[in-house]
Amino acid sequence: MARRNTYKEDEILEEPFDLRHLLRAWVYIKKHAGKMVLALVLSALGGAAALASPMIVQKALDEAIPSGNVHMLYGLVVAVSCFYILSVIFTTIRSHIMVNVSQDIIYQIRSDLFKHLQKLPFQYYDDRPQGKILVRVVNYVNSVSDMLSNGLINVVLEIINLVFIVVFMFAVDVSLSLVVLAGVPFLMAFMFWIKNKQRKAWQAVSNKNSNLNAYLQENIVGARITQIFAREDENAEIFKTLSGNCRKTWMTAVGYSTLVWPGIDTISVLVRAAIFLFGLFIFSHGSETLGTIVAISSYASRFWQPIMNLGNIFNGFINNMAYLERIFETMDEPVTVDDEPDAIEMPKVVGEVTFENVSFSYEKGKEILHNVSFSVKPGESVALVGPTGAGKSTIVSLISRFYNVDSGRILIDGQDISKVTLQSLRSQMGIMLQDSFIFSGTIEDNIRYGKLDATEVEIRRASKTVCAHSFIKGMQDGYRTEVKERGALLSQGQKQLISFARTLLSDPSILVLDEATSSIDVQTEKALQQGLDAMLTGRTSFIIAHRLSTITKCDKIMYINDGGITECGSHDELMAKKGDYYHLYTAQMEGLEVG
């Protein structure tokens, strides 16, 4: 299970190289195996074409120029140009192929990840910063895709390139080639030291960027609250600290990275100096030619590049194995609320709802509901009241099966809802929450969200029923007015009315209203009441309302407290009983009179 941290805590990515993750990723790689093999062949041909140049230069220096053979020299120039053009063509085609492969892998991993995220239970999102989930879907997938495509090919390619260089080099001169290879132990020692430092430094960068992303996302969503409480300065200081941590770790990582090339270049220069010294010493005895020394020097210069590239690839593999592990960790997150293997389609719901000794807890040892039992007849309206945190919203969430019960059963029309498919169950339910979520797009698209085939006539009829039509028509483009993310330009009351229209349009058999009119003014609520009555008619409904005056006509009122139902009856029955509901109602009415 993923570590449940906040923006204050690093998401630890220090993972050993685990071949299992790479083998598991093969499912994404094998679809493009043919293209990747072709890219590898093109890369090898391009590399071989480029490596022919030093041998041609050697021939020019040792034969064409000393003998004054202009025709041979022209021929060698043409040959060098042709090999260079071939190298560019092969490399360009290879790059084009691998860009497509890389983007396809990104698309496939991200699609699988998003599909799984949509199935994960509410609990998963309750426990994790959204910013850190986004990092996995965007940043980690981008990074991993390059490793799975270019990374694997580059490992093989650089090894082949290295072999080609050594072969060409030894073909020119064995003794000077051994001088070049003498520098390898020094290079390996340097690379081992620097790469370990570099890997840890870049992992720290990932951790700090993840923290910053989590805090940034949280504050963008909560921008209004920040300004309401004048928290700009305090939040700016927190952001400054997190941003400073990013800068500090970045500078450290870049510091190590900038040491790589100078270190390798220093070893390369020393080796090439040894080539000239050794070659000139032998040359003085007539054993070596100038062309041989220049060719070996050129190959020596190229020799270090694939070694350095392999070091970079290895470093990337180590980092990306940690990212890949996090991606698969998310994909492996259990979908605790899912269809049973033998789940059936929920028949057309009539509306009888029964709880049989239902117990539930969000966290082990902290029970919210304990052995709750009740029965609601089809078409009945049931109000749930009680103190905050007593379990009212939990009950309606369980009816929709957003969570699994710890024990007991929930039946609809006598059918255990754990034995039916989620889609067939939830498609027959309408749920209105206090926080009415509005998607970016048009108002019409938002109302049609739960019924994509709805006509314009149906959309307007639903809007008129819930008193949303008048304010929608008054907007610049009416129903085609574009609304921003989360309905930023709409009032809370307007959002709730649009949500009412969306819920009514889906024509649910069971209706859940969780503080659904909390942001609507009293005058609008009175006008809406007729529409609400129309919504409730013929439907089993569960209503959670802060204003008790709105639920007095409900068929049944259940007072929820201490993990169960302490009182149940009609408004008149509970008032006559003079229990918890009576005291709550009278206190609220007295408060209104005083107000």
Side-chain angles (χ1 to χ4, degrees), residues 185-242:
F186 298 100
L187 177 66
M188 297 304 293
F190 171 73
M191 291 294 288
F192 180 80
W193 174 79
I194 195 69
K195 287 302 173 184
N196 187 46
K197 299 282 186 182
Q198 198 178 14
R199 177 173 60 86
K200 291 182 178 179
W202 283 112
Q203 285 176 343
V205 170
S206 295
N207 292 338
K208 300 308 178 185
N209 281 336
S210 180
N211 293 345
L212 182 66
N213 193 66
Y215 186 73
L216 184 61
Q217 191 276 338
E218 182 179 280
N219 275 266
I220 289 173
V221 175
R224 284 186 173 84
I225 305 301
T226 296
Q227 295 184 27
I228 288 171
F229 288 94
R231 277 268 308 192
E232 292 90 342
D233 292 341
E234 290 85 349
N235 289 2
E237 283 300 314
I238 295 173
F239 185 83
K240 182 179 178 182
T241 300
L242 294 173

Side-chain angles (χ1 to χ4, degrees), residues 324-335:
L324 196 61
E325 191 268 344
R326 290 297 182 266
I327 291 170
F328 286 141
E329 183 181 62
T330 303
M331 288 184 179
D332 291 340
E333 192 70 33
V335 181

Side-chain angles (χ1 to χ4, degrees), residues 319-485:
N319 286 338
N320 282 295
M321 280 299 108
Y323 298 154
L324 196 61
E325 191 268 344
R326 290 297 182 266
I327 291 170
F328 286 141
E329 183 181 62
T330 303
M331 288 184 179
D332 291 340
E333 192 70 33
V335 181
T336 54
V337 181
D338 200 5
D339 295 340
E340 295 289 334
D342 56 348
I344 63 172
E345 293 289 310
M346 184 73 189
K348 175 66 178 175
V349 170
V350 177
E352 182 183 12
V353 178
T354 305
F355 272 50
E356 292 183 352
N357 301 315
V358 171
S359 295
F360 175 78
S361 57
Y362 292 103
E363 297 179 38
K364 242 180 180 179
K366 296 182 179 180
E367 210 169 46
I368 304 297
L369 300 177
H370 179 69
N371 286 338
V372 173
S373 297
F374 65 83
S375 184
V376 177
K377 296 177 181 178
E380 278 191 329
S381 56
V382 180
L384 306 177
V385 300
T388 301
K392 303 183 295 294
S393 295
T394 299
I395 288 177
V396 296
S397 292
L398 292 177
I399 295 172
S400 307
R401 206 180 158 219
F402 291 133
Y403 303 90
N404 289 324
V405 299
D406 295 342
S407 61
R409 293 195 305 166
I410 299 174
L411 309 174
I412 294 181
D413 298 341
Q415 175 64 55
D416 187 342
I417 64 171
S418 68
K419 307 299 182 184
V420 301
T421 63
L422 293 174
Q423 197 280 333
S424 65
L425 171 67
R426 293 175 184 170
S427 64
Q428 300 189 66
M429 303 190 70
I431 304 169
M432 267 287 298
L433 303 175
Q434 181 178 3
D435 180 17
S436 301
F437 194 93
I438 301 297
F439 297 90
S440 56
T442 65
I443 291 177
E444 188 175 69
D445 290 337
N446 270 278
I447 296 175
R448 189 185 275 123
Y449 191 82
K451 187 181 180 184
L452 298 179
D453 60 348
T455 64
E456 290 187 10
V457 173
E458 290 175 319
I459 291 172
R460 280 155 180 73
R461 185 188 304 128
S463 300
K464 288 176 181 177
T465 301
V466 300
C467 303
H469 179 73
S470 57
F471 91 80
I472 294 174
K473 289 298 292 180
M475 302 189 81
Q476 183 177 359
D477 297 315
Y479 283 84
R480 289 183 172 81
T481 299
E482 291 282 340
V483 292
K484 306 299 181 183
E485 186 179 9

Side-chain angles (χ1 to χ4, degrees), residues 79-116:
V80 167
S81 301
C82 289
F83 278 120
Y84 175 76
I85 292 170
L86 284 174
S87 176
V88 170
I89 291 173
F90 290 147
T91 303
T92 302
I93 296 173
R94 179 257 190 190
S95 297
H96 181 72
I97 291 172
M98 291 315 300
V99 165
N100 287 328
V101 170
S102 178
Q103 288 304 308
D104 284 345
I105 290 175
I106 286 177
Y107 172 80
Q108 290 158 4
I109 295 178
R110 193 169 285 156
S111 295
D112 290 348
L113 194 54
F114 181 72
K115 189 181 296 184
H116 187 71

